[in-house]
Amino acid sequence: MVLLGAAGLLEGQPAPGARPPLTVLSKSGRQVLPVSLVNGAEMVPLSDLATLFRLTVREDAASGGLIVAQGPRTLVLSTTQPLASVGGKVLSLSAAPVKSGAAWFVPLDVAGRALPQVVESRIDLRRAARLLVVGDVTVPRVRVRTESDAGRARVVLDITPRTEHAVTQAPGRLVVAFKADALDAEIAPADRSDLVQGVRVAEPGTSLAIELGPRFASFRASDAPLEPGGTRLTIEVAAQGAPVAQTQPPPGPATTPAPGAAAEPPPVVFDQPTTAVRTIVLDPGHGGDETGATGPAGTLEKDVALSVARQLKAVLEARLGIRVLLTRDGDQTVPLDERAAIANNNKADLFVSLHANASVRGAVTGAEVFYLSLDEYGQDVARQAEPGGEVLPTLGGSDREIGLILWEMAQARHLEDSATLAAIVERQLRARVPMSARAIQQAPFRVLVGANMPAVLVEMGFITNPNEEKKLVSPQHQGEIVQALYESIVQFRTYLEGGRSTVPPIRPPAAPATRSAAPTPGNR
Ligand SMILES: [Zn+2]
């Protein structure tokens, strides 16, 4: 940790009141920026900002200003008024700069509002968290609150923006690890209970530790979208004898352990074989700037995918009463790895990624169903990931590198189920919509690799074909696809519940492409 030197204050000057310093987070690490209270405003030494952002500072007596520059970009601070000028625009500040001895102090909002217009790096001042975030670093805001009542506790984490995370159990605590450079955590104080004793940021600052009390028995974590662009992670913690998330506390003394009789918490099982379909994650492909394929009339793949996903969610919820989550519920960018992470963190039993296909040859048409090909990921992966193996896919755990390697294996253990699901989907689609000559295929799609449940990717048709483009936007055709996927999920559920004994006829995947280009995992 580098401590920036505070500018020296001359003796005899009123000593500015010290305030909690800011932590400056950047790709090069953490630094401390001292903050003083001068005339009621939080101020930082201008020389420290100059060091931090490689600024030149010059006093211009003629104009009564401080000229702060990085390369050709210039910021002028009035020394007499709380004003700054940048690029011909005047900004009002909370206070005018103050000279103390030879050093200038400037209000914090110079760093938060004025410098971002001069400096090339992104600058984000988070005053409440005492953070100055510089450049391309991932520092999600995490608001934590804990609610407890008899036999249960709930820790709710509102994470913005959406950031990959994993919840794991360690002795005496649950650890929520984030794929981030640091956390901007705001932890609401809560009473200590015999389930959850507190929440704190754990070293090296990218995870939260939920300290568990003696009655802890089990937990369940689930993610839900939080607008705009965030995630709400809810961790339900149950006492011994109390089912997780039940609405009534368990009756009486029978379930209350004697004081000091804290047993070892049972291990948390993440990978029970799927025997039911309770939660489904639908993944509308692409989104935001990433539009996916475009049809000749301008239809965007991302819009077709979202439309079908929303309808399928409504149908599944209404008819089956199961929980259906979308990896995106609007037009936003979601990284590929995060899509599978959403399914894993919500313990989804099925993952269906929805896309529309593209070909340079406009004549190509028909729907296609994909499941993962391990070719690109190697035979070792398949072997290590066999059921009974010790592979436990997690993300962003304490050892990120290992976490990511294991994560890549997640789908391998579900390939048989995924092949069955693909076969069912293919048959249901074939009954309703035109299919491609290669209706079932295996491909190394990135979005499927990390999914720790049966997973398929459906290319609903070729948006690059003018006729199929028209169909893909028509409510009737979308309705046929929704119906086919709904029937597929019902049938797959029957297959799982029947102990996988009623194997539907499986059409073998097509041989590697000879007529058209093999699919590339690029954006899927
Ligand atoms: Zn796509």
Side-chain angles (χ1 to χ4, degrees):
M1 191 174 281
V2 180
L3 192 70
L4 292 177
L9 300 171
L10 291 186
E11 281 180 335
Q13 293 290 333
R19 297 274 297 139
L22 288 187
T23 298
V24 183
L25 291 171
S26 67
K27 276 285 180 227
S28 54
R30 287 156 179 257
Q31 293 174 294
V32 171
L33 181 62
V35 180
S36 312
L37 195 65
V38 187
N39 302 336
E42 287 198 316
M43 298 233 172
V44 291
L46 183 57
S47 61
D48 281 359
L49 292 180
T51 308
L52 202 55
F53 296 109
R54 294 195 201 89
L55 307 168
T56 57
V57 178
R58 183 163 65 82
E59 273 185 62
D60 186 47
S63 65
L66 287 165
I67 299 172
V68 179
Q70 189 192 61
R73 287 177 298 269
T74 314
L75 164 74
V76 181
L77 297 171
S78 164
T79 53
T80 54
Q81 294 179 74
L83 293 175
S85 158
V86 55
K89 212 168 68 174
V90 175
L91 291 176
S92 75
L93 302 171
S94 56
V98 170
K99 198 170 194 183
S100 180
W104 281 101
F105 284 74
V106 295
L108 254 188
D109 46 7
V110 167
R113 294 175 55 226
L115 281 183
Q117 312 199 34
V118 176
V119 169
E120 272 190 44
S121 327
R122 192 173 64 92
I123 303 177
D124 186 6
L125 171 66
R126 304 193 187 174
R127 203 186 276 257
R130 311 305 290 176
L131 286 177
L132 188 64
V133 180
V134 180
D136 186 20
V137 290
T138 308
V139 187
R141 287 186 172 86
V142 185
R143 284 191 172 170
V144 186
R145 64 174 200 273
T146 305
E147 300 155 1
S148 302
D149 62 42
R152 291 181 301 138
R154 174 185 295 146
V155 183
V156 180
L157 300 90
D158 287 348
I159 304 155
T160 333
R162 198 176 282 164
T163 306
E164 286 179 27
H165 55 268
V167 185
T168 51
Q169 190 180 342
R173 68 181 67 93
L174 298 175
V175 177
V176 187
F178 292 85
K179 195 174 178 186
D181 297 295
L183 298 181
D184 173 355
E186 190 184 312
I187 301 170
D191 292 338
R192 291 164 67 97
S193 78
D194 50 8
L195 276 174
V196 172
Q197 306 206 309
V199 181
R200 60 179 173 83
V201 178
E203 287 299 316
T206 55
S207 56
L208 292 172
I210 300 170
E211 302 293 350
L212 298 168
R215 286 192 68 207
F216 169 79
S218 62
F219 77 97
R220 176 185 290 270
S222 61
D223 284 355
L226 183 74
E227 286 306 317
T231 305
R232 170 165 292 173
L233 167 63
T234 303
I235 302 173
E236 304 272 1
V237 177
Q240 287 150 31
V244 173
Q246 73 166 41
T247 47
Q248 290 298 314
T255 56
T256 309
E264 268 305 287
V268 173
V269 180
F270 284 90
D271 279 316
Q272 289 160 326
T274 310
T275 54
V277 178
R278 293 185 199 87
T279 302
I280 295 179
V281 168
L282 301 177
D283 171 45
H286 315 279
D289 297 339
E290 209 220 303
T291 56
T294 307
T299 306
L300 300 178
E301 179 188 353
K302 65 173 185 177
D303 295 333
V304 174
L306 183 59
S307 169
V308 171
R310 282 177 171 159
Q311 294 172 60
L312 181 56
K313 172 180 160 77
V315 167
L316 287 166
E317 286 175 340
R319 297 193 203 160
L320 302 182
I322 53 181
R323 180 168 171 247
V324 182
L325 303 168
L326 303 185
T327 53
R328 64 178 176 96
D329 47 11
D331 184 21
Q332 70 262 35
T333 315
V334 182
L336 288 178
D337 288 342
E338 201 178 309
R339 295 169 186 257
I342 290 169
N344 293 352
N345 291 334
N346 285 287
K347 305 214 175 6
D349 303 300
L350 274 187
F351 180 81
V352 180
S353 188
L354 296 169
H355 290 255
N357 221 335
S359 169
V360 287
R361 296 186 304 135
V364 180
T365 60
E368 297 177 342
V369 185
F370 290 87
Y371 62 101
L372 185 70
S373 152
L374 278 181
D375 290 357
E376 303 246 317
Y377 301 97
Q379 292 302 310
D380 286 352
V381 171
R383 201 164 47 241
Q384 288 177 55
E386 266 164 18
E390 54 186 356
V391 172
L392 183 71
T394 58
L395 181 65
S398 56
D399 186 328
R400 183 172 297 175
E401 203 173 314
I402 288 171
L404 287 174
I405 292 166
L406 297 181
W407 186 249
E408 295 217 323
M409 301 173 179
Q411 178 57 206
R413 61 198 333 199
H414 301 286
L415 276 186
E416 261 183 59
D417 281 344
S418 296
T420 302
L421 176 60
I424 293 172
V425 171
E426 189 270 343
R427 203 170 41 185
Q428 292 292 341
L429 281 170
R430 184 176 291 281
R432 292 174 180 84
V433 301
M435 299 302 287
S436 131
R438 302 172 62 239
I440 291 197
Q441 297 179 51
Q442 280 187 275
F445 286 145
R446 178 82 213 170
V447 71
L448 298 178
V449 174
N452 192 20
M453 71 278 315
V456 293
L457 184 147
V458 180
E459 295 281 6
M460 299 179 283
F462 279 82
I463 204 169
T464 41
N465 177 274
N467 282 332
E468 211 149 84
E469 178 188 19
K470 280 190 202 122
K471 285 185 190 167
L472 284 170
V473 291
S474 86
Q476 286 96 327
H477 192 83
Q478 289 193 356
E480 294 290 348
I481 294 170
V482 167
Q483 184 64 23
L485 294 172
Y486 164 76
E487 298 286 355
S488 303
I489 288 164
V490 170
Q491 200 176 350
F492 187 72
R493 187 174 70 162
T494 307
Y495 161 74
L496 289 183
E497 288 172 356
R500 295 177 171 79
S501 54
T502 53
V503 182
I506 293 183
R507 193 179 287 264
T514 48
R515 289 169 304 151
S516 60
T520 50
N523 56 355
R524 288 176 288 196

